[in-house]
């Protein structure tokens, strides 16, 4: 019997119509071939598009980052101590950013980056780790300077600009280590100028730069740059309800850094112009004076031999159970003084050795005197 007939009969016995099976095989082959060809067609048909030239702004951003990145450092703050067995222990206290100030290994950062620690490490761009020591602290401006011993070829001081010529709307770049992610770049603009923020010790920091460049925890102490790659500020604070960037960041102006850094390196502290007096910081006394309609800063004590002493200013004295109220400062160089911050900000703009006119209230009458400002240590 014909073999094909035998196969057909077998298929019938199995209940499988031969034509249906054959049709299924053919359709399977056709669909397989179709999808194989379709896949190949898709792969062969999709090609990488040419990128095209980078914009001038992109090229500028890339250039600034590449040149400035080697100046930015990662700072780790630790608390070092001893356990019961006198073994050295270390606990992490925080991280932040900083930048190279000079070839001698001085690193500028925020005071609050170092706050709470007693041991510090600086990581440079090449990932080398260097023990750092504190050279100077200036909490009034939330500034601090560390020093590391590193090869000079690894130390690239950041170019300095000026904050006095900034314009709202100009481009800025922030480089730092947000959330421990080293050398992260964000860009934005100068959102506002002459903002006032509060430092860690409650003192006001004036002339602060506001920017919408993303600043997050870990960015503190890092540089804010202009489009020429020059330092224009130190990223220091954000205004945010969540604790992360909300597009409102603040940077200490570079002009304040340029004034303070040399003194911090040389003396370990900033020597500001002062009168040689201690003033009232008691809120109750302030309220009592305000209730009597008196605005100004009450002198509590005059340092013997100081400029204020030579000018005849008087401090507050105690007679038995009563206090003899001292002179109340109400003006410096025709600038009205209403509170401690007014006095601090007025003196911050003046130089040691400069002659100024002081107005003060004594027994209800306003007097004027001139004195020469002298160096005092900033707290």
């Amino acid at each position: 019997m014909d073999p094909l007939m035998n196969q057909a009969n077998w298929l019938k016995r199995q209940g499988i119509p031969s034509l249906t099976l054959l049709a299924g095989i053919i359709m399977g082959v056709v669909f397989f071939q179709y999808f194989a060809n379709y896949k190949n067609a898709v792969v062969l048909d999709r090609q990488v598009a040419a990128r095209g030239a980078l914009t001038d702004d992109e090229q500028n951003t890339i250039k600034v980052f590449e040149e400035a990145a080697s100046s930015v450092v990662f700072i780790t703050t630790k608390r070092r101590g001893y356990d019961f067995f006198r073994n050295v222990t270390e606990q992490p206290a925080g991280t932040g950013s900083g930048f190279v100030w000079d070839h001698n290994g001085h690193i500028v950062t925020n005071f609050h980056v170092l706050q709470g620690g007693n041991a510090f490490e600086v990581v440079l761009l090449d990932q080398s780790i260097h023990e750092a020591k504190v050279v100077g602290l200036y909490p009034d401006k939330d500034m601090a300077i560390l020093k590391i011993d590193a090869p000079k070829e690894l130390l690239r001081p950041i170019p300095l600009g000026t904050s006095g010529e900034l314009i709202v709307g100009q481009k800025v770049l922030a480089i730092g280590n947000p959330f421990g992610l080293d050398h992260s770049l964000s860009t934005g603009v100068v959102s506002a100028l002459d903002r006032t923020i509060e430092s860690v010790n409650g003192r006001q920091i004036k002339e602060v730069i506001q920017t919408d460049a993303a600043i997050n925890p870990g960015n503190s102490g890092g540089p804010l740059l202009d489009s020429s790659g020059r330092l224009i500020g130190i990223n220091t604070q954000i205004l945010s309800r969540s604790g992360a960037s909300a597009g409102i960041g603040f940077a200490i102006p570079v002009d304040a850094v340029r004034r303070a850094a040399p003194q911090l390196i040389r003396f370990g502290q900033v020597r500001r112009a002062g009168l040689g007096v201690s003033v009232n910081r008691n809120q109750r006394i302030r309220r009592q004076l305000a209730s009597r309609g008196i605005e100004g800063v009450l002198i509590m004590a005059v340092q013997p031999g100081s400029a204020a002493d030579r000018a005849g200013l008087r401090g507050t004295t105690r007679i038995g159970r009563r206090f003899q109220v001292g002179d109340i400062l109400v003006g410096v160089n025709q600038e009205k003084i209403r509170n401690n911050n007014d006095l601090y900000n007025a003196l911050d703009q003046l130089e040691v050795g400069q002659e100024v006119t002081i107005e003060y209230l004594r027994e209800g009458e306003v007097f004027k005197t001139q004195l020469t400002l002298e160096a005092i240590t900033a707290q």
Side-chain angles (χ1 to χ4, degrees):
M1 183 178 291
D2 188 346
L4 291 176
M5 290 296 293
N6 288 335
Q7 187 175 10
N9 291 333
W10 181 84
L11 291 171
K12 287 180 180 180
R13 289 197 298 269
Q14 300 300 318
I16 303 175
S18 59
L19 292 178
T20 302
L21 178 62
L22 182 60
I25 293 172
I26 293 173
M27 291 180 65
V29 172
V30 170
F31 276 109
F32 176 80
Q33 193 67 30
Y34 171 79
F35 283 114
N37 291 337
Y38 174 77
K39 181 179 179 182
N40 290 336
V42 171
V43 171
L44 295 175
D45 197 39
R46 298 294 298 171
Q47 297 181 355
V48 177
R51 183 189 66 190
L54 295 173
T55 66
D56 290 342
D57 185 59
E58 288 175 319
Q59 292 181 28
N60 171 256
T61 299
I62 293 169
K63 179 182 178 182
V64 170
F65 176 75
E66 289 178 343
E67 292 182 352
S70 59
S71 300
V72 182
V73 304
F74 181 79
I75 298 173
T76 301
T77 299
K78 303 177 181 180
R79 285 189 291 268
R80 185 174 292 166
Y82 298 91
D83 63 15
F84 180 79
F85 300 100
R86 304 301 295 170
N87 296 315
V88 177
T89 62
E90 283 188 345
Q91 297 292 331
T95 60
S97 306
F99 53 88
V100 178
W101 180 258
D102 57 28
H103 286 293
N104 294 320
H106 291 110
I107 306 295
V108 176
T109 186
N110 284 142
F111 171 81
H112 78 260
V113 170
L114 310 185
Q115 198 172 20
N118 58 9
F120 312 97
E121 286 182 349
V122 170
V123 182
L124 300 178
L125 183 63
D126 68 343
Q127 300 304 306
S128 60
I129 302 175
H130 305 267
E131 289 286 334
K133 64 178 182 179
V134 176
V135 170
L137 300 173
Y138 190 18
D140 282 2
K141 299 291 185 184
D142 197 8
M143 285 180 53
I145 292 187
L146 297 171
K147 189 177 188 304
I148 61 174
D149 291 322
K152 291 189 181 298
E153 58 268 20
L154 297 179
L155 299 171
R156 183 166 181 238
I158 202 160
L160 297 181
T162 176
S163 46
E165 60 186 22
L166 294 177
I167 303 172
V168 173
Q170 75 175 78
K171 176 182 174 180
V172 294
L173 304 90
I175 304 177
N177 308 290
F179 303 106
L181 302 172
D182 65 325
H183 291 87
S184 294
L185 169 70
S186 58
T187 62
V189 298
V190 173
S191 301
L193 296 168
D194 297 325
R195 295 300 195 202
T196 299
I197 61 175
E198 190 173 281
S199 188
V200 290
N201 62 357
R203 291 285 180 84
Q204 288 185 336
I205 305 177
K206 307 283 283 187
E207 301 176 348
V208 170
I209 305 163
Q210 180 185 330
T211 179
D212 64 348
I215 298 174
N216 286 291
N219 273 110
S220 293
L224 186 69
L225 309 169
D226 64 12
S227 57
S228 297
R230 303 180 308 162
L231 178 72
I232 57 172
I234 305 177
N235 301 317
T236 186
Q237 287 185 20
I238 58 174
L239 183 61
S240 171
R241 293 180 178 177
S242 66
S245 175
I248 302 177
F250 301 107
I252 300 168
V254 68
D255 289 352
V257 182
R258 291 167 55 207
R259 290 194 297 266
Q263 293 193 53
L264 288 172
I265 292 171
R266 184 177 178 185
F267 306 115
Q269 56 195 7
V270 172
R271 298 182 178 181
R272 301 175 55 248
L275 307 175
V277 300
S278 60
V279 298
N280 171 60
R281 291 186 172 87
N282 187 292
Q283 292 288 349
R284 182 177 59 84
I285 295 177
R286 291 179 189 175
R287 288 194 294 269
Q288 288 178 349
L289 292 175
S291 67
R292 296 160 56 186
I294 299 175
E295 286 188 333
V297 176
L298 174 63
I299 298 177
M300 298 302 294
V302 176
Q303 182 179 347
S306 66
D309 187 27
R310 293 191 296 272
L313 294 178
R314 297 179 187 174
T316 300
T317 56
R318 183 170 182 170
I319 305 175
R321 295 184 178 182
R322 300 181 59 187
F323 285 92
Q324 178 68 43
V325 176
D327 294 335
I328 299 173
L329 301 172
V330 295
V332 175
N333 279 355
Q334 299 183 340
E335 185 174 342
K336 190 173 182 179
I337 304 300
R338 295 175 293 269
N339 51 50
N340 291 16
N341 278 326
D342 285 349
L343 177 62
Y344 175 82
N345 292 328
L347 294 175
D348 196 38
Q349 307 302 315
L350 303 173
E351 302 290 338
V352 174
Q354 185 173 346
E355 189 174 82
V356 296
T357 299
I358 301 296
E359 295 180 56
Y360 59 95
L361 184 66
R362 178 183 292 175
E363 297 177 355
E365 187 176 351
V366 176
F367 296 88
K368 290 185 179 181
T369 187
Q370 288 188 323
L371 56 79
T372 301
L373 296 176
E374 57 190 20
I376 62 171
T377 300
Q379 301 298 321

